[in-house]
Amino acid sequence: MCRQMRTILRWGLPLLAVLAALAWGAGTLVQHTTRQWFQRDVSLRARLAVDGAREALAAHVRSGDRRRLGVALGAIARDDRILAAAICGDGMRTLVRTGTVPSGFNCEELASRLPAAMDEGGVELVEHAEGGLVHALVMPISDEAGPVGRALVIHDLSFATRREEALRRLTIGAFAVVALLASVLTVVVRRESWRTWTEELRRLLPLPGGGGTVSARPRKLFRPLLSDLRNLVAELATEQSAASAGKWSAERLHHTLTDVLRGERVVILANREPYVHERTSEGGVRVVHPASGLVTALEPVMRACGGVWVAHGSGSADRDVVDRGDRVRVPPGEESYSIRRVWLTEEEERGYYYGFSNEGLWPLSHMAHTRPVFRAQDFRQYERVNRRFAEAVCDEVEGPDPIVLVQDYHYALVPRMIRERLPRATILTFWHIPWANAERFGICPWANELLEGMLGSSIVGFHTQLHCNNFVEAVDRYLEARIDRERQSVVLQGREALVRAYPISIEWPNHWAMEAPPVPDCRRRVFAELGLAPDALLGVGVDRLDYTKGIEERLLAVERLLERFPHLKGRFTFAQLAAPSRTLIPEYRGLNERVEALAKRVNERFAAGTWRPIALLRAHHEPPAIFRYLRAADVCYVSSLHDGMNLVAKEFVAARDDERGTLVLSRFTGAARELTEALLVNPYDLEEASSALAAALAMPAAEQAERMRAMRAFVQDLNVYRWAGRMLVDAARLRQRDRLSSRLGPGLRAVGETEGELKRLPPGA
Ligand code: ADQ
């Protein structure tokens, strides 16, 4: 049945029923009233006629003059509507009559129905006879000597019935017309108001897949409703997707890609490659997993999604294993995706990687008190290399609207470069390190170029909302762009980029943790490697040798711990696994030397027999070794001075399926916002840090388990598949919206633009 018909039935029928009942009631009332009017009229006429002739009638009855009595009765019955009249004498015997008395109304027939004594007013009867309704009036006739008989006047009331019927039909007809008009009017008004409501809501709510636009200000009537509705829709969508899809896993991420994004291939761009091929001293080739949080997070995502990872080919044997397109299938033995290697000259690497990225942007973004160095020639290399990587990405994509994941501060200019070549691409840019506040960011001589480059993205992601806010503030301060704070987006030159927080994580279940030997075996092996007594206590730190990781502060905290808690001397050892990193940069070489000297000094200060408090393992370690140390530890100390997230903290949690061990974590990491059951410290505050280390070493097993369980549950839920999945789902929504709006035409494409919010900055701002 069509929708209109259903609407009519739903709204029109009840209305019709109510109006019909009203019509029936009104008709009955009209009928009743008119009958009473007619009856009263007829009764009055009959009484007047009898009263006028009463004396004459009495005299003729008394005298027995039937002729004269007949004449007098004839005068009474002259009215057309009088059917018959009669005079009844003693014992209700008919003395005279005119006309035809309907059966049942003769004097004799009425005798039994009338009272013996009758007052002056007489008796009235209204009944159906053969010809229709009749009105009979029986009135006493008397003279001074007393009653002499009764006069009977019978009126035809059938005309009243006919008029009543006509009137009733008229009333019902009038009601029917009114009912019909009211029904039609109700349906029309309802449809019209519904249409207005839905149009307004569509205009206001950018519903997922609805292609809605948020261009206009809501009408006053709708404003209070709008935020409630948006919240409700968002809540329902989140609940529905969480309930229907369950926890995030590699499989779910894969399905998201095939179902939501219809199997689109993902192209990742990251400076570091997930597998580095290195030449060994024996002339063979070995595969190395680089020490990089970005790789740790993204490699499982790539294994789940497939596609291409575009990266700098940095391994000494990288060129030997690629095909003619500079590609190699990985992971070795599983081959689920490809690495496309881009070769850089030494000069390019020096300017782009060591120079602008790591002497400029890295210290700019981290509050670790290292001065950024900005050189014009470095930025020129950065620009050049960004262009080369953008071209490599464009070579790898299939079709005009690919999904590209641009990773980190090495490629701030790439999103815009890809956008110029592929206007319909979905570009998700993720910045893995903190984003400095606007004032600090402004010291970069190419602040505007970096922001404009990033805003070529469809989505710009950071670990925390604070870094999103810093980015938006920088845009606000340095660019002429429009900011929509409600949608958390920036529109630059008609293109919208969403700015969102996606806290990164690690794979769960974690394959390195699952493949690791049982905890007692790990402990035995690590203790043997370090030459520790079986009852020793072990602390572990795992980092790239980077000044942002607070390794010096960590070793100083160990020194302070031993000063304050002498019973730990000879018993507690801190193993620092430190992968040399960016060693071409003087600042890093200096750090290397300082850390080594510090470890030496502390060890010399506390050395007792073969025991040393610090084991500095300055080397790259493959993941099995790292997980072995994490599983062997009593305490893991992450002391970053500033860190976007820090995945070592999460790896420690993943490694501890025995629910033992305590995490001491710097407040200045993104992870500290999530792993709140860790002992959170300020790494600069050596008193606080050493107290936390002592508390961790003395913590009862039950408390360790309680804290560890809570953190494991958190990382299990908020794993890296969820991180990638949320970004890809958001990307899918954007793609759908863009496809729909491109069908609507250019006039409706500029999403979210309201004139009033356009920021106009003074020249040179
Ligand atoms: P990173 O600065 O590289 O990452 P982090 O998140 O701690 O820092 O990850 C380091 C990774 O390297 C871990 O997987 C760890 O196991 C590994 N690693 C550490 N020391 C190693 C060693 N000696 N040998 C081999 N491997 C080692 C950047 C940001 C972080 C952010 C990540 C992910 O600086 O804040 O968490 O990206 O977004």
Side-chain angles (χ1 to χ4, degrees):
M1 199 180 320
C2 71
R3 244 176 71 197
Q4 269 175 339
M5 202 58 204
R6 273 209 302 272
T7 310
I8 288 171
L9 287 181
R10 194 161 149 216
W11 296 93
L13 279 186
L15 193 71
L16 274 177
V18 170
L19 286 172
L22 278 177
W24 180 83
T28 309
L29 191 70
V30 165
Q31 184 185 24
H32 184 73
T33 312
T34 48
R35 170 153 319 171
Q36 278 188 337
W37 285 349
F38 285 132
Q39 227 169 282
R40 217 174 302 146
D41 180 42
V42 163
S43 167
L44 201 65
R45 282 162 179 245
R47 279 171 205 286
L48 282 173
V50 174
D51 277 348
R54 197 189 288 254
E55 266 181 37
L57 291 172
H60 297 320
V61 173
R62 187 66 81 184
S63 66
D65 187 345
R66 290 199 178 203
R67 192 187 61 80
R68 286 197 171 166
L69 190 58
V71 173
L73 190 63
I76 289 174
R78 213 171 290 139
D79 188 333
D80 282 353
R81 298 211 186 120
I82 295 180
L83 280 176
I87 302 296
C88 313
D90 279 348
M92 286 300 279
R93 201 168 31 85
T94 305
L95 297 178
V96 285
R97 69 168 186 225
T98 63
T100 314
V101 178
S103 98
F105 287 86
N106 287 316
C107 293
E108 292 76 9
E109 285 165 330
L110 287 175
S112 60
R113 299 169 57 195
L114 297 176
M118 196 180 279
D119 63 22
E120 282 289 291
V123 171
E124 281 180 54
L125 297 169
V126 177
E127 285 176 15
H128 281 278
E130 309 96 81
L133 197 66
V134 295
H135 174 272
L137 174 69
V138 183
M139 284 184 75
I141 310 167
S142 51
D143 57 12
E144 283 146 10
V148 292
R150 292 172 179 183
L152 167 65
V153 180
I154 299 171
H155 265 94
D156 178 9
L157 264 184
S158 61
F159 78 95
T161 321
R162 281 195 304 279
R163 283 187 191 172
E164 276 168 23
E165 200 46 50
L167 212 57
R168 191 180 154 91
R169 274 203 300 272
L170 202 70
T171 311
I172 291 177
F175 263 92
V177 171
V178 170
L180 202 67
L181 285 177
S183 302
V184 170
L185 209 66
T186 309
V187 170
V188 169
V189 167
R190 189 190 156 275
R191 276 175 57 104
E192 189 52 28
S193 52
W194 180 247
R195 197 178 55 79
T196 317
W197 264 80
T198 46
E199 265 176 16
E200 184 73 2
L201 284 178
R202 274 205 193 114
R203 208 164 58 88
L204 297 176
L205 284 179
L207 293 170
T213 65
V214 287
S215 57
R217 275 172 71 72
R219 276 191 215 164
K220 208 172 171 190
L221 173 71
F222 285 87
R223 270 180 231 158
L225 266 180
L226 183 62
S227 74
D228 285 358
L229 268 170
R230 279 189 180 154
N231 290 345
L232 190 66
V233 168
E235 257 173 48
L236 286 175
T238 317
E239 272 172 27
Q240 197 190 19
S241 63
S244 62
K247 288 196 160 77
W248 278 97
S249 61
E251 294 72 42
R252 183 169 163 202
L253 181 61
H254 183 77
H255 286 144
T256 304
L257 196 70
T258 48
D259 299 350
V260 183
L261 285 160
R262 298 200 211 104
E264 315 268 359
R265 188 163 95 125
V266 168
V267 177
I268 285 187
L269 169 63
N271 172 72
R272 185 68 64 223
E273 48 186 348
Y275 297 92
V276 184
H277 291 89
E278 293 285 3
R279 186 151 307 287
T280 62
S281 47
E282 296 84 41
V285 173
R286 70 181 178 114
V287 178
V288 176
H289 299 86
S292 152
L294 181 154
V295 170
T296 303
L298 280 163
E299 205 278 331
V301 171
M302 221 36 199
R303 262 187 280 131
C305 297
V308 185
W309 183 310
V310 179
H312 169 214
S314 58
S316 52
D318 272 359
R319 283 178 196 267
D320 304 346
V321 296
V322 292
D323 63 15
R324 270 198 281 169
D326 293 327
R327 293 184 197 92
V328 58
R329 296 285 293 164
V330 288
E334 275 178 49
E335 277 94 35
S336 48
Y337 66 97
S338 302
I339 298 177
R340 157 74 194 277
R341 285 175 170 151
V342 176
W343 316 112
L344 298 180
T345 62
E346 254 181 47
E347 195 191 356
E348 283 172 334
E349 201 180 350
R350 206 177 317 117
Y352 137 83
Y353 179 74
Y354 292 106
F356 191 70
S357 296
N358 287 315
E359 284 190 282
L361 292 181
W362 180 268
L364 175 73
S365 305
H366 289 92
M367 288 193 292
H369 320 290
T370 297
R371 208 180 168 132
V373 179
F374 294 112
R375 301 181 199 94
Q377 69 269 29
D378 288 349
F379 184 70
R380 276 197 297 277
Q381 289 294 359
Y382 184 84
E383 217 174 0
R384 220 157 79 101
V385 172
N386 269 232
R387 172 90 47 210
R388 288 194 52 203
F389 275 99
E391 279 161 10
V393 167
C394 293
D395 289 348
E396 294 301 325
V397 302
E398 289 170 351
D401 56 355
I403 297 171
V404 182
L405 273 59
V406 176
Q407 302 300 309
D408 230 355
Y409 59 98
H410 310 95
Y411 300 117
L413 306 179
V414 165
R416 189 177 184 169
M417 293 171 174
I418 297 178
R419 175 75 59 216
E420 280 162 8
R421 274 190 59 181
L422 300 165
R424 284 168 53 201
T426 301
I427 305 170
L428 312 182
T429 299
F430 192 80
W431 192 264
H432 289 255
I433 61 177
W435 186 277
N437 66 48
E439 199 174 357
R440 191 181 159 92
F441 180 73
I443 68 171
C444 174
W446 298 280
N448 291 21
E449 284 85 341
L450 296 177
L451 291 170
E452 282 167 2
M454 301 262 292
L455 289 175
S457 317
S458 317
I459 302 179
V460 179
F462 298 93
H463 293 301
T464 67
Q465 189 56 46
L466 176 69
H467 300 152
C468 293
N469 297 348
N470 286 350
F471 177 80
V472 171
E473 286 310 317
V475 171
D476 195 3
R477 193 179 285 202
Y478 303 113
L479 294 186
E480 196 169 319
R482 191 174 53 72
I483 291 165
D484 185 334
R485 291 185 197 272
E486 204 185 343
R487 271 174 68 73
Q488 295 182 66
S489 74
V490 174
V491 180
L492 180 67
Q493 291 157 10
R495 265 215 72 83
E496 187 185 38
L498 304 181
V499 182
R500 294 273 189 281
Y502 302 100
I504 209 165
S505 196
I506 54 170
E507 65 169 336
W508 194 290
N510 187 289
H511 77 288
W512 299 117
M514 290 202 323
E515 288 164 16
V519 168
D521 292 357
C522 290
R523 210 166 155 87
R524 225 173 290 124
R525 182 155 166 205
V526 168
F527 276 38
E529 278 169 19
L530 298 174
L532 305 183
D535 66 339
L537 294 169
L538 177 65
V540 166
V542 182
D543 306 83
R544 285 183 302 100
L545 242 170
D546 194 297
Y547 52 83
T548 61
K549 303 293 179 184
I551 299 172
E552 289 171 272
E553 286 73 8
R554 194 176 311 172
L555 300 187
L556 289 172
V558 171
E559 180 180 35
R560 189 73 191 112
L561 174 78
L562 296 174
E563 282 170 1
R564 292 179 63 201
F565 304 95
H567 70 278
L568 292 172
K569 284 185 202 164
R571 208 164 159 223
F572 175 68
T573 297
F574 192 85
Q576 175 62 52
L577 280 62
S581 179
R582 306 168 191 169
T583 42
L584 287 189
I585 300 174
E587 188 61 38
Y588 282 77
R589 282 203 301 275
L591 173 74
N592 235 313
E593 286 156 17
R594 286 199 307 276
V595 167
E596 193 172 332
L598 182 57
K600 193 160 168 255
R601 183 179 65 71
V602 175
N603 277 343
E604 280 170 3
R605 180 175 169 196
F606 293 102
T610 56
W611 175 77
R612 300 283 181 279
I614 293 170
L616 180 61
L617 307 172
R618 221 154 21 102
H620 176 87
H621 291 73
E622 281 296 286
I626 291 176
F627 275 78
R628 197 162 56 243
Y629 272 79
L630 292 176
R631 279 163 82 75
D634 294 290
V635 56
C636 172
Y637 184 20
V638 173
S639 56
S640 308
L641 305 182
H642 200 192
D643 217 332
M645 176 55 70
N646 192 287
L647 294 184
V648 174
K650 293 188 174 178
E651 285 174 333
F652 177 60
V653 167
R656 300 317 294 259
D657 49 12
D658 61 336
E659 296 177 352
R660 294 295 297 271
T662 307
L663 177 64
V664 178
L665 179 60
S666 158
R667 288 179 211 291
F668 310 130
T669 59
R673 287 157 206 267
E674 304 188 326
L675 304 179
T676 46
E677 289 78 12
L679 301 184
L680 300 181
V681 297
N682 171 356
Y684 294 95
D685 182 347
L686 299 183
E687 301 306 308
E688 188 185 51
S690 56
S691 296
L693 286 173
L697 291 170
M699 191 179 284
E703 190 181 339
Q704 290 179 30
E706 200 178 329
R707 288 172 184 270
M708 191 54 83
R709 253 199 306 277
M711 292 192 285
R712 284 175 65 80
F714 186 91
V715 182
Q716 179 175 16
D717 274 357
L718 277 76
N719 56 33
V720 78
Y721 303 115
R722 181 177 183 272
W723 172 81
R726 281 183 58 217
M727 276 204 291
L728 291 177
V729 167
D730 287 351
R733 283 199 190 127
L734 277 182
R735 285 163 82 83
Q736 192 179 23
R737 195 192 68 184
D738 287 349
R739 277 175 190 154
L740 287 173
S741 57
S742 66
R743 261 185 246 153
L744 288 173
L748 295 165
R749 262 175 126 163
V751 175
E753 281 183 273
T754 41
E755 292 294 321
E757 287 181 72
L758 192 68
K759 304 273 174 207
R760 299 222 175 269
L761 293 167

